[in-house]
Amino acid sequence: MISPFLVLVIGTCLTHCLVPEKEKDPKYWRDQAQQTLKHALGLQKLNTNVAKNVIMFLGDGMGVSTVTAARILKGQLHNNPGEETRLEMDKFPFVALSKTYNTNAQVPDSAGTATAYLCGVKANEGTVGVSAATERSRCNTTQGNEVTSILRWAKDAGKSVGIVTTTRVNHATPSAAYAHSADRDWYSDNEMPPEALSQGCKDIAYQLMHNIRDIDVIMGGGRKYMYPKNKTDVEYEMDEKARGTRLDGLDLIDIWKSFKPRHKHTHFIWNRTELLALDPHTVDYLLGLFEPGDMQYELNRNNVTDPSLSEMVEVAIQILKKNPKGFFLLVEGGRIDHGHHEGKAKQALHEAVEMDQAIEQAGTMTSTGDTLTVVTADHSHVFTFGGYTPRGNSIFGLAPMLSDTDKKPFTAILYGNGPGYKVVGGERENVSMVDYAHNNYQAQSAVPLRHETHGGEDVAVFAKGPMAHLLHGVHEQNYIPHVMAYAACIGANLDHCTPASSAGGPAPGPLLLPLALLPMSMLF
């Protein structure tokens, strides 16, 4: 039941809130719907080309509520109400839902999910690049249970491959592309237990440099895991936490360089200036590590030393697209997740807006005729916004009423749990007494936790380009890389491919049929 006070608030808003003048005319809405209908009818002609290129954008923790809030924020950053704004991913013609659970977890983590959407096999929480037969932290359950990723399939097919992330390059999401580890936290040998080391397991940074030695582009954070213990960082010379971590004394940057053919142009860089000074046409291999750990939040980013996600994506595509056989690129907006875990919705949403900018950048550099682009998330968060806010209300603003229980205001954005739980004088904190628009404001939560948790609901999958229509309903998360591989004629399922298409040519095979004629086994 809605309180009389709320009725008064909503009634007043309906009378006085700013409604765009054009939206008062029914013709506006009817014309908009007809234009959308016309576009939808055009999708009946399916794009059954072979995907020369595949780009996967992974918004870590980017659940549906985050997508909606980021859409509003994007609009408000352009001085619009926000709700009517379209994200780049909103423009993709095909949308599906992905079931994110891990084999042993109802609410998943980023490692088991990464194994699903990159390797095509669901796995246990906390493990990367291995099947569910591997138990977390048990090194001796790894051997024989390794599973390969679509990045490996693409490389084996002669394509160029790249990884771009705003987290450490050996974090959960990117590591599933190249590593096989019983524990996502084994960033370097410094983080591994003696038992795992004695049983022969290798840390994830080591595997990055050794498992697939010819990854063409790697960009993100994670410098400290590449260097011997206590080696001073090139950027933060006085910061002990930024120093090298490796106990084995290896310099993995030197090892990375040594694996590259001498006639190839190999570049290691650590700052934005070096990145933007590159001539991508003369770069064969690029390793860019811009922070000792994760990269800075977009709102905190140093414009001299740290590139944006969009800038990294632009350079990556320029390098990768030189290969006539095409490329596979994994792009992670990884710090959406971190912002939510810290209860800092403003940081999380600005990360999501920046990832959408990177999606737009990639779209300008590729064609839907030969490039399949998939945007999705690994999981959601217990993040929400509500409170009957009026049109155009700041996404970080207050709801238009007081609580009818404790008579205090509350922000539209709230978390189900997390560090924003605060009690002052035995009562919920009065948010009007704090700067709730601050970049690092921690939104209130219902349950106190040091770190907010993931959510367990399905996440969206947006797709455009060749065979994008195969992402169309509610799917298990591990279905995604099988679609990408099918579209690109890579991996194990090549029965539909001609020799030309599997080599990156334009000719589709005989089984690239219209959706209505595809076998039911391909649709579900």
Side-chain angles (χ1 to χ4, degrees), residues 9-58:
V9 169
I10 294 177
T12 301
C13 182
L14 290 176
T15 304
H16 299 289
C17 286
L18 177 63
V19 176
E21 196 63 32
K22 64 183 179 182
E23 294 185 13
K24 296 177 182 179
D25 186 349
K27 185 176 184 300
Y28 167 79
W29 297 107
R30 292 168 183 154
D31 289 348
Q32 181 197 69
Q34 289 300 316
Q35 290 169 5
T36 303
L37 177 60
K38 182 178 180 180
H39 176 70
L41 289 169
L43 296 176
Q44 291 185 102
K45 184 178 180 181
L46 300 176
N47 182 346
T48 58
N49 296 342
V50 171
K52 175 182 176 182
N53 312 310
V54 178
I55 305 175
M56 184 177 199
F57 283 92
L58 192 286

Side-chain angles (χ1 to χ4, degrees), residues 11 20 28 64 72 85 96 170 209 238 247 281 334 375 379 387 414 431:
Y28 167 79
V64 172
I72 294 172
T85 300
N170 51 346
M209 301 308 178
M238 304 305 294
L247 301 177
H281 299 96
V375 179
H379 54 73
L414 297 167
V431 295

Side-chain angles (χ1 to χ4, degrees), residues 29-228:
W29 297 107
R30 292 168 183 154
D31 289 348
Q32 181 197 69
Q34 289 300 316
Q35 290 169 5
T36 303
L37 177 60
K38 182 178 180 180
H39 176 70
L41 289 169
L43 296 176
Q44 291 185 102
K45 184 178 180 181
L46 300 176
N47 182 346
T48 58
N49 296 342
V50 171
K52 175 182 176 182
N53 312 310
V54 178
I55 305 175
M56 184 177 199
F57 283 92
L58 192 286
D60 199 312
M62 191 181 69
V64 172
S65 57
T66 298
V67 172
T68 307
R71 178 189 304 135
I72 294 172
L73 173 59
K74 179 181 178 180
Q76 292 181 350
L77 290 172
H78 290 87
N79 300 313
N80 295 315
E83 299 83 1
E84 71 297 324
T85 300
R86 296 181 75 196
L87 294 167
E88 286 303 309
M89 65 188 90
D90 292 339
K91 302 173 186 177
F92 285 28
F94 296 99
V95 182
L97 290 176
S98 169
K99 298 163 66 176
T100 64
Y101 67 92
N102 296 147
T103 47
N104 66 340
Q106 185 179 76
V107 178
D109 90 313
S110 295
T113 51
T115 304
Y117 62 73
L118 288 173
C119 303
V121 174
K122 286 222 172 192
N124 291 328
E125 172 272 337
T127 65
V128 292
V130 289
S131 72
T134 297
E135 300 174 30
R136 183 168 189 175
S137 301
R138 292 190 60 189
C139 169
N140 61 1
T141 65
T142 305
Q143 189 171 0
N145 297 318
E146 300 90 345
V147 292
T148 57
S149 75
I150 187 169
L151 183 141
R152 165 79 78 172
W153 310 338
K155 176 55 73 171
D156 288 346
K159 295 183 183 294
S160 294
V161 297
I163 296 170
V164 174
T165 180
T166 53
T167 66
R168 288 155 277 186
V169 294
N170 51 346
H171 207 252
T173 294
S175 66
Y178 57 81
H180 313 286
S181 179
D183 199 309
R184 58 175 287 178
D185 294 333
W186 292 349
Y187 300 119
S188 73
D189 57 350
N190 184 65
E191 288 76 41
M192 295 178 67
E195 181 184 39
L197 291 171
S198 66
Q199 291 174 349
C201 281
K202 297 297 184 181
D203 63 88
I204 296 171
Y206 181 95
Q207 293 190 54
L208 171 60
M209 301 308 178
H210 290 81
N211 286 4
I212 307 176
R213 299 185 178 185
D214 52 354
I215 298 176
D216 302 86
V217 174
I218 305 168
M219 283 191 277
R223 277 196 304 263
K224 66 181 181 180
Y225 303 107
M226 311 299 163
Y227 291 115

Side-chain angles (χ1 to χ4, degrees), residues 208-333:
L208 171 60
M209 301 308 178
H210 290 81
N211 286 4
I212 307 176
R213 299 185 178 185
D214 52 354
I215 298 176
D216 302 86
V217 174
I218 305 168
M219 283 191 277
R223 277 196 304 263
K224 66 181 181 180
Y225 303 107
M226 311 299 163
Y227 291 115
K229 185 79 171 178
N230 292 324
K231 180 173 180 177
T232 301
D233 184 70
V234 65
E235 183 177 3
Y236 305 101
E237 296 181 1
M238 304 305 294
D239 186 353
E240 293 185 5
K241 293 182 179 179
R243 294 178 181 174
T245 65
R246 303 200 61 80
L247 301 177
D248 57 16
L250 294 178
D251 184 323
L252 292 182
I253 306 301
D254 284 345
I255 290 175
W256 175 80
K257 293 176 181 177
S258 72
F259 287 157
K260 303 300 178 286
R262 291 193 175 186
H263 67 281
K264 295 292 186 179
H265 296 91
T266 302
H267 296 264
F268 168 68
I269 58 175
W270 66 268
N271 62 63
R272 178 176 182 265
T273 302
E274 291 178 331
L275 176 69
L276 299 185
L278 289 174
D279 178 3
H281 299 96
T282 63
V283 176
D284 295 308
Y285 295 101
L286 174 63
L287 174 61
L289 299 177
F290 303 105
E291 286 288 333
D294 299 317
M295 294 185 67
Q296 299 293 328
Y297 284 122
E298 178 63 20
L299 285 176
N300 303 347
R301 182 168 61 86
N302 182 318
N303 289 332
V304 175
T305 57
D306 297 329
S308 68
L309 185 59
S310 300
E311 291 169 338
M312 291 191 289
V313 166
E314 179 178 9
V315 174
I317 293 177
Q318 288 174 331
I319 295 171
L320 298 174
K321 70 188 301 185
K322 294 181 296 182
N323 187 338
K325 293 185 177 181
F327 65 84
F328 170 79
L329 175 61
L330 171 65
V331 181
E332 183 196 20

Side-chain angles (χ1 to χ4, degrees), residues 50 157 325 488-489 494-510:
V50 171
K325 293 185 177 181
C489 283
L494 301 177
D495 292 343
H496 60 291
C497 303
T498 66
S501 63
S502 61

Side-chain angles (χ1 to χ4, degrees), residues 1-4 6-7 388 404:
M1 180 178 179
I2 299 178
S3 70
L6 179 53
V7 171
Y388 300 107
D404 58 6

Side-chain angles (χ1 to χ4, degrees), residues 398-464:
L398 296 174
M401 82 287 283
L402 304 179
S403 164
D404 58 6
T405 300
D406 65 11
K407 311 303 179 186
K408 289 184 173 64
F410 59 97
T411 54
I413 286 176
L414 297 167
Y415 286 96
N417 57 52
Y421 180 94
K422 289 184 176 62
V423 174
V424 178
E427 297 182 340
R428 180 173 66 91
E429 182 180 53
N430 188 334
V431 295
S432 65
M433 306 300 290
V434 300
D435 182 6
Y436 52 80
H438 192 277
N439 289 353
N440 291 323
Y441 171 71
Q442 293 176 310
Q444 292 186 336
S445 64
V447 175
L449 287 177
R450 291 181 181 177
H451 301 282
E452 177 264 5
T453 72
H454 296 167
E457 69 270 24
D458 299 348
V459 297
V461 186
F462 306 86
K464 68 175 181 178

